[in-house]
Structures are given as structure tokens and as C-alpha cells.
């Protein structure tokens, strides 16, 4: 083989390896905590004391986390059940805004990319806030659905905060810091 063909094959191999590494990194779930236990027979990991979970652009903070790993849960085989007062989920959106969810319990199905928050549940983004007993968020479809509890006086509440156009215009017109070594 010629040198050019060999170089192209090596380049394609390196590109494929880098792509696989990036995909693995995006599927990787990192958990930090003060304490960890594992129930080997039931495949449940228990994390306690200032738990922080990172999955791509998503972050969960909780007092306690149970990680359920079973074949019937799908490809990634992980269901994360975070509890706290409150447990907090945050995700940086494609537009740069931050979506934040708070509740007594957050159930995050890693394979299905769904989030179910329950117990004084609240989800907010860009000045909009939804409060309900149970809120489901389909991360891939960016679909939020909220339900009231069985109590008669329970309701789903949405608060829309208007964006001040003057503030938006000021942000657009503000001088940007210069890049470089200008005096």
C-alpha cells in the first residue's frame, strides 16, 4: 500500500476511536458522595451524604441516591432514584439556558432519558415555572407533563414571567470584551 492510503486508514481508525470514546463519555454516569454501599444480590448501589451525579450536561444533587441496575431496564440498565429536601436536577439546554427541577424524589431513567419528579415538584426554565405533585420530563423530546395529586384542592400551577425587552436590548448592545492585546 502507498503511504497516502496507509495514512488515510490510520486517520479513519483514529477518528472512529475518538467517536466511540465521545459516545462512551456521553453515556458515562459519574457519582460523587460521602458514603457508598452496594447490595450485590439485588444490584442496587446506595450513595449518601452530599450526592452529586453528572451525566453529560445533566447534574443531580441529592441527599441519597439508589442506582438500580437490571437487564429489564434497557441498554444502559440504570435507574437513578435521588431523594432530598429537595433533590435538584439541572440541565444546560442547547440555547444556553438552564432547566432546573426540584422535588422530594427524582427518578432518572438513563436509557429512556426520562425524568419523573414527585413530591412538591417544580420545574423552571427561562422565567417559566411549573409546580405540581408529579412532573414528567422527556429529555429527548423536550416534553414536560404535570399532574395534580389525588387531593381535591390540588392543582397544577404555571407561572410565566415576561421578558423585559429593554433588558434584552441592553444585553445585545453592551460592548463585548476585546480579544487580544490592544492598549
Amino acid at each position: 500500500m502507498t503511504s497516502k492510503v496507509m495514512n488515510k486508514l490510520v486517520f479513519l481508525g483514529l477518528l472512529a476511536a475518538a467517536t466511540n470514546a465521545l459516545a462512551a463519555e456521553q453515556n458515562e454516569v459519574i457519582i460523587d458522595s460521602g458514603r457508598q454501599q452496594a447490595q450485590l444480590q439485588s444490584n442496587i448501589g446506595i450513595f449518601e451524604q452530599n450526592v452529586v451525579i453528572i451525566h453529560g450536561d445533566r447534574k443531580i444533587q441529592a441527599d441519597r441516591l439508589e442506582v438500580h441496575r437490571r437487564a429489564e431496564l434497557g441498554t444502559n440498565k440504570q435507574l437513578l432514584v435521588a431523594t432530598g429536601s429537595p433533590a435538584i436536577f439541572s440541565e444546560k439546554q442547547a440555547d444556553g439556558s438552564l432547566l432546573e427541577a426540584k422535588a422530594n424524589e427524582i427518578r432518572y431513567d438513563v436509557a429512556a432519558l426520562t425524568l419523573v419528579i414527585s413530591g412538591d415538584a417544580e420545574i423552571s426554565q427561562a422565567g417559566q415555572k411549573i409546580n405540581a405533585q408529579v412532573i414528567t420530563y422527556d429529555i429527548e423530546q423536550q416534553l414536560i407533563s404535570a399532574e395534580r395529586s389525588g387531593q381535591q384542592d390540588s392543582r397544577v400551577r404555571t407561572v410565566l414571567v415576561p421578558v423585559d425587552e429593554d433588558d434584552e436590548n441592553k444585553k445585545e448592545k453592551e460592548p463585548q470584551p476585546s480579544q487580544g492585546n490592544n492598549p
Side-chain angles (χ1 to χ4, degrees):
M1 274 198 256
T2 67
S3 172
K4 286 183 181 180
V5 172
M6 186 61 104
N7 285 343
K8 286 181 182 179
L9 288 174
V10 169
F11 174 74
L12 290 174
L14 291 173
L15 182 61
T19 302
N20 288 338
L22 180 60
E25 185 177 300
Q26 289 175 344
N27 287 325
E28 184 176 76
V29 177
I30 300 167
I31 303 169
D32 286 324
S33 67
R35 181 176 169 201
Q36 175 184 347
Q37 297 176 339
Q39 296 174 351
L40 299 177
Q41 286 185 329
S42 58
N43 271 338
I44 297 175
I46 299 171
F47 302 83
E48 296 175 317
Q49 300 174 355
N50 193 25
V51 182
V52 178
I53 304 106
I54 305 288
H55 182 228
D57 287 336
R58 299 173 197 97
K59 179 179 182 179
I60 300 174
Q61 297 168 284
D63 299 330
R64 184 174 194 272
L65 171 71
E66 289 183 8
V67 177
H68 300 260
R69 293 183 58 106
R70 292 188 212 109
E72 66 268 16
L73 292 175
T75 309
N76 288 334
K77 304 176 189 165
Q78 296 169 343
L79 174 65
L80 310 179
V81 181
T83 54
S85 350
I88 301 169
F89 169 89
S90 59
E91 177 184 43
K92 188 172 183 177
Q93 302 292 294
D95 66 359
S97 66
L98 186 69
L99 179 134
E100 187 172 81
K102 300 176 185 179
N104 296 332
E105 180 182 272
I106 296 175
R107 299 176 80 82
Y108 176 38
D109 186 326
V110 176
L113 286 176
T114 57
L115 195 71
V116 177
I117 61 174
S118 58
D120 294 325
E122 175 183 299
I123 193 164
S124 61
Q125 178 187 15
Q128 299 181 33
K129 187 186 323 182
I130 300 171
N131 293 88
Q133 188 58 34
V134 178
I135 300 173
T136 304
Y137 173 45
D138 183 321
I139 295 169
E140 204 163 41
Q141 294 182 11
Q142 302 235 321
L143 176 67
I144 297 173
S145 62
E147 299 176 26
R148 66 187 183 110
S149 69
Q151 300 172 357
Q152 243 180 339
D153 63 345
S154 173
R155 309 267 295 163
V156 173
R157 172 169 284 188
T158 300
V159 177
L160 305 174
V161 178
V163 175
D164 187 358
E165 290 184 29
D166 290 338
D167 286 346
E168 288 296 315
N169 289 337
K170 286 178 189 175
K171 286 180 187 176
E172 290 174 10
K173 292 179 182 179
E174 287 179 4
Q176 300 297 319
S178 63
Q179 304 288 338
N181 296 331
N182 292 340

